[in-house]
Amino acid sequence: MKTYKLSSGYEMPLFGLGTWKAVQEDELYNAVREAITIGYRHFDCAKIYANEAVVGKALNDAFRANEVKREEIFVTSKLWNDSHAQGDVIPALQSTLRDLGLDYLDLYLIHWPVCFKKGTEFPTSTDDFIPPENLPISQTWQGMEKAVGQGLAKSIGVSNFSIKKLKELDKTSKIKPANNQVELHPYLQQKELSEYCNANNIALTAYSPLGSMDRPSSLKPENEPSLLEDAVIARIAQKHNATPAQVLIKWHIQRGVAVIPKSTNFNRLKENHDAQFVGLDEPDMKKIASLERNFRYLTGSFFTQPGSGYTLENIWDEV
Ligand code: NDP
Ligand code: 1BO
């Protein structure tokens, strides 16, 4: 499997398994065990997905069964928005490690540039938010740097960060973020952000690469465009005797971007893994580039109640 050498010196596999919304425990457990058998070596987790104990059980059972060694897999998790205070980072990470049954993470990310009061999973009122000016990201990052110092995370990074926020972080950070995990697919190609990350040795990971169709209905407007039904993607898939999902996945790997499609279905796990064997050519890449429409499936609007201190403008730093 292709890897990306992170600025920390560690290698991150360019293909992994997403675990958001995988809430049915047996299904997720079996999916992780099956994924390991198929050849998955990168698992994307987060505290807020509320399923790290299940992922951890599956990983540890696979270690005990000698199917894979800890050092052969790459595990990412993410700091939730309620633990941004510098002193809350290590306890949050330790809690994630306990859930996963691991001694260290390969990568720990700040999940969103949004802060909640301690104990808030999802805000129900504006009182649950801490406005950005009251808890600068530089303080959270100092907690992240301590995680590396204590050997709890091999690499650290961010998620949903704009160029402006990466530049801000650069002014005070001792350890540079190794990774920025963002929504990325042919309808949201993030050209400038990709160029900035490439130039600054920040690996990109693409989330929601297939369009995140299983999002809760509250986060899913009607009539959104479907990547998997896109006619251009379908024609390229047909040409290579592949599926649209495989084209969407391989597009990232071919560009040196990590991609973490979620599935708990055995056939789709295999299909997605085998995307790495599809070879897209230059005309395919050009046709896919032409699909840009600056469209986000995950808009971030769930964080922008009036009075929260957060707006779409100050989350994405776009006008
Ligand atoms: P994806 O784009 O990966 O889409 C998941 C959906 O696609 C599920 O409904 C899944 O169903 C279906 N699917 C999977 N494979 C195929 C296939 N081959 N053909 C057709 N349908 C398929 O969405 P996610 O939003 O889950 O993104 C992937 C991962 O990225 C997340 O799980 C999470 O780990 C991470 N993420 C991180 C975010 C962040 O803020 N950092 C935000 C969002 C996601 P089924 O399971 O039934 O196969
Ligand atoms: C709020 C959605 C988080 C997915 O990673």
Side-chain angles (χ1 to χ4, degrees):
M1 188 178 296
K2 278 194 181 168
T3 60
Y4 184 106
K5 188 164 182 154
L6 298 171
S7 55
S8 55
Y10 294 98
E11 303 274 346
M12 174 171 72
L14 283 183
F15 174 76
L17 180 66
T19 61
W20 179 36
K21 308 171 263 70
V23 285
Q24 215 287 321
E25 293 192 3
D26 289 351
E27 198 175 85
L28 174 60
Y29 175 88
N30 292 329
V32 173
R33 291 297 298 270
E34 180 68 10
I36 290 169
T37 304
I38 291 169
Y40 283 65
R41 293 295 178 263
H42 174 168
F43 295 87
D44 183 75
C45 309
K47 186 70 179 172
I48 197 63
Y49 301 165
N51 57 11
E52 290 191 313
V54 180
V55 175
K57 180 167 172 23
L59 293 177
N60 280 288
D61 285 352
F63 301 153
R64 276 189 286 273
N66 284 322
E67 287 167 13
V68 70
K69 295 190 180 69
R70 168 67 186 94
E71 57 274 22
E72 291 169 343
I73 60 161
F74 189 97
V75 182
T76 302
S77 185
K78 312 184 198 91
L79 178 79
W80 189 235
N81 303 352
D82 72 331
S83 301
H84 277 212
Q86 197 197 128
D88 288 340
V89 175
I90 298 284
L93 170 51
Q94 284 167 330
S95 165
T96 267
L97 288 172
R98 271 195 304 278
D99 287 347
L100 286 166
L102 300 176
D103 299 331
Y104 68 89
L105 289 178
D106 295 280
L107 180 62
Y108 197 41
L109 306 177
I110 298 177
H111 205 148
W112 286 87
V114 173
C115 311
F116 300 159
K117 296 223 173 97
K118 188 85 190 125
T120 301
E121 286 194 345
F122 282 100
T124 52
S125 87
T126 51
D127 283 347
D128 294 332
F129 288 87
I130 302 176
E133 60 278 13
N134 293 2
L135 212 176
I137 215 75
S138 55
Q139 290 185 20
T140 313
W141 193 253
Q142 285 171 20
M144 300 290 283
E145 290 177 331
K146 282 188 188 148
V148 176
Q150 295 182 19
L152 300 176
K154 295 211 182 280
S155 306
I156 49 176
V158 294
S159 175
N160 296 301
F161 268 44
S162 63
I163 296 176
K164 183 176 174 199
K165 291 189 176 67
L166 291 170
K167 283 185 174 167
E168 204 54 41
L169 190 54
D170 193 51
K171 289 183 195 156
T172 54
S173 52
K174 296 194 184 91
I175 302 176
K176 300 301 168 195
N179 180 234
N180 189 14
Q181 183 179 121
V182 295
E183 182 175 335
L184 198 56
H185 44 68
Y187 294 163
L188 183 72
Q189 302 189 16
Q190 309 249 36
K191 190 169 179 290
E192 285 176 23
L193 181 66
S194 300
E195 283 168 4
Y196 179 86
C197 288
N198 287 340
N200 289 278
N201 200 10
I202 301 170
L204 276 168
T205 300
Y207 76 60
S208 303
L210 307 178
S212 195
M213 300 78 71
D214 56 350
R215 265 167 302 145
S217 53
S218 56
L219 304 183
K220 198 166 183 287
E222 276 173 26
N223 302 323
E224 60 183 17
S226 166
L227 281 163
L228 286 169
E229 289 169 11
D230 185 281
V232 171
I233 300 292
R235 274 197 296 277
I236 295 172
Q238 202 173 24
K239 171 176 147 189
H240 293 285
N241 202 17
T243 66
Q246 288 177 322
V247 171
L248 293 166
I249 292 166
K250 185 58 190 281
W251 180 67
H252 294 289
I253 299 174
Q254 205 147 312
R255 299 161 82 227
V257 170
V259 57
I260 47 171
K262 174 263 172 186
S263 183
T264 48
N265 171 283
F266 284 15
N267 292 332
R268 292 191 282 276
L269 282 169
K270 174 92 173 93
E271 174 186 333
N272 296 349
H273 172 270
D274 289 353
Q276 61 190 307
F277 307 122
V278 174
L280 301 177
D281 57 31
E282 209 41 51
D284 300 331
M285 297 303 271
K286 279 204 180 121
K287 280 182 201 139
I288 297 173
S290 75
L291 297 178
E292 171 64 80
R293 51 166 98 177
N294 199 24
F295 179 84
R296 280 184 198 279
Y297 289 101
L298 222 59
T299 61
S301 55
F302 36 89
F303 296 138
T304 60
Q305 290 97 313
S308 67
Y310 296 91
T311 60
L312 292 183
E313 289 72 26
N314 73 14
I315 291 177
W316 303 121
D317 298 311
E318 287 166 1
V319 276

